[in-house]
Structures are given as structure tokens and as C-alpha cells.
Amino acid sequence: MLLRVRITLPDRPGTLGQVARTMGVSGADIVQVVVLERLGGRAVDDFTVVWPGAARVERLLAGLAAIPGVRVDGVWRAIGAPTTSGQDAELLAQVAANPADGVATLVDAAPGLLAADWAVAAVVPVDWAARSGTAAAVGHASWRTPVPPPLPEVTPLRARAISTPGGAHVAVAPFGRAGLVLVVARECAGTPTAAAFHATEVDRLAQLVRAAAVILGDRLDLVGPAPVAANP
């Protein structure tokens, strides 16, 4: 199976090599490494690895924990192949080619791009600022979305990451009109669990949403609450 492993490690020569060797000895085949952050002598890296389905992830965690200064921030199953920025451009091209299904295309692709479990286009009521709680409706949901989706309280103000009391990590990004917000979630059931969305992931999501909003324009006003299909 394909796993995403997020690691915080000392930003010094040799440490990344130790991590890679430990992963290899544990049985993980590294297929992609993405540097999310380098700051103050520390780095945050996302490793996408092919992991033997029968092997226990605890073996990998124990090996990484033995490397001085290394911390595992999350391990979770990834959907599909590793993603690149080129796939963002390809997705926006698909949105532009078929704008009638543009929001649905973006929602369906978002989990794969961000190693998440599901995504929805949430419609926030126009009077959300006057309400004590913001009960968003679902305009479109990806195929793995729970029914009903456990949406946090979202407002169409800014892109941000949220960790919910129900045990999920969420990234939200507003389209900038019609109270429409893209919500992408990682479930945290089991051990080990998924990492929260990093600031670079939230920025990536926000850029995609802003670009899609420019492409779709007035079509966003047509997105309204719709029933969420049951999981197959």
C-alpha cells in the first residue's frame, strides 16, 4: 500500500540519508520526498512510500524514533500516486475545459492531491455572520465522504487548517463568492494517525481554489445544497 510519512528532522547533512536508510531497512520503498518547511535548523519532510501490506508500521516507527532528533508527525494511507505541482495545472485545465462540472471536478480531485480522505464544496448561508453557529450545506462531495459529512464550523473568510474534536484534520479554502468553501479532510482513526495539514498544503489548496474561482466566475453562484450520495 501507499503511505505518507511526515517527519520533522534536523536540517543538517547526513540526517536525511539516515532516514532513507532506515526506511529501506524497514521495508519501505521511497517514491517521493517533498520538503514542506526548512526553518531554524529543522526541516519538515513528507515521504511517500510503498509499504508491504502485511508488515507492521510499528517497525518503521521504531526505526525512525531511534535516529537522534527525528520525530514522526504522522503516518497515513495515501490515495493514488504521488502528486506534483504539474498536476495542479492539469486539474485547472480540466476545470476550464468543462466549467459546468468545474466544482465537482475540483472536489473529486482534491483528496488525491493532498493525501486526504474526502472533500466537499460547502455552502455557507449568506447570513452566517449573524448566526451563533454556521451550519454549512453540501454542494458536492467526493466519493469517500461520510454521510452526513462531519463538517467543522466554516466561514468564507480565509484559507486555514482545523483539527476537529471528532478526530479529523481539515483544510478549508473559500472561493470568494456565493458562500462557497472547499473542505478537505483527513480522518485520524487508528494508530498511527494522519498529520494535520501543513501551511504549505493550505496555501496550495487556496491557490487552486482561487484559480478555479477565476475560471468558473458566475457559475459558482449556481452551486447549491445537494444530497450526499451514500458510500458504495
Side-chain angles (χ1 to χ4, degrees):
M1 60 183 174
L2 204 63
L3 292 180
R4 185 68 59 89
V5 184
R6 181 165 299 172
I7 297 174
T8 298
L9 66 159
D11 189 14
R12 61 172 180 258
T15 304
L16 184 59
Q18 285 181 280
V19 170
R21 284 193 297 273
T22 299
M23 287 188 172
V25 170
S26 300
D29 181 14
I30 300 173
V31 294
Q32 186 185 61
V33 182
V34 176
V35 179
L36 297 176
E37 177 184 310
R38 297 181 70 180
L39 183 66
R42 303 283 288 174
V44 180
D45 294 351
D46 265 2
F47 293 80
T48 303
V49 304
V50 176
W51 181 254
R56 293 178 61 85
V57 177
E58 285 76 8
R59 177 185 178 187
L60 173 63
L61 298 179
L64 293 172
I67 305 174
V70 169
R71 184 184 75 233
V72 178
D73 297 327
V75 179
W76 68 102
R77 187 182 293 240
I79 302 172
T83 62
T84 64
S85 57
Q87 287 174 293
D88 294 1
E90 181 179 348
L91 172 59
L92 292 172
Q94 293 174 7
V95 171
N98 186 13
D101 294 326
V103 172
T105 299
L106 185 62
V107 170
D108 290 340
L113 292 177
L114 294 173
D117 293 300
W118 52 268
V120 301
V123 183
V124 180
V126 294
D127 60 344
W128 62 268
R131 300 190 179 200
S132 57
T134 305
V138 174
H140 183 81
S142 65
W143 70 277
R144 297 183 70 196
T145 302
V147 182
L151 294 178
E153 181 174 321
V154 296
T155 54
L157 293 177
R158 61 181 176 85
R160 61 201 184 280
I162 303 170
S163 292
T164 70
H169 296 306
V170 176
V172 300
F175 284 83
R177 65 185 299 161
L180 199 60
V181 181
L182 183 59
V183 181
V184 184
R186 290 177 184 145
E187 301 290 352
C188 295
T191 303
T193 63
F197 285 92
H198 191 271
T200 58
E201 295 178 298
V202 176
D203 288 344
R204 182 184 183 188
L205 181 66
Q207 290 170 11
L208 276 171
V209 169
R210 285 196 298 267
V214 172
I215 294 170
L216 297 175
D218 293 343
R219 289 182 180 270
L220 294 176
D221 297 332
L222 304 177
V223 179
V228 179
N231 292 327

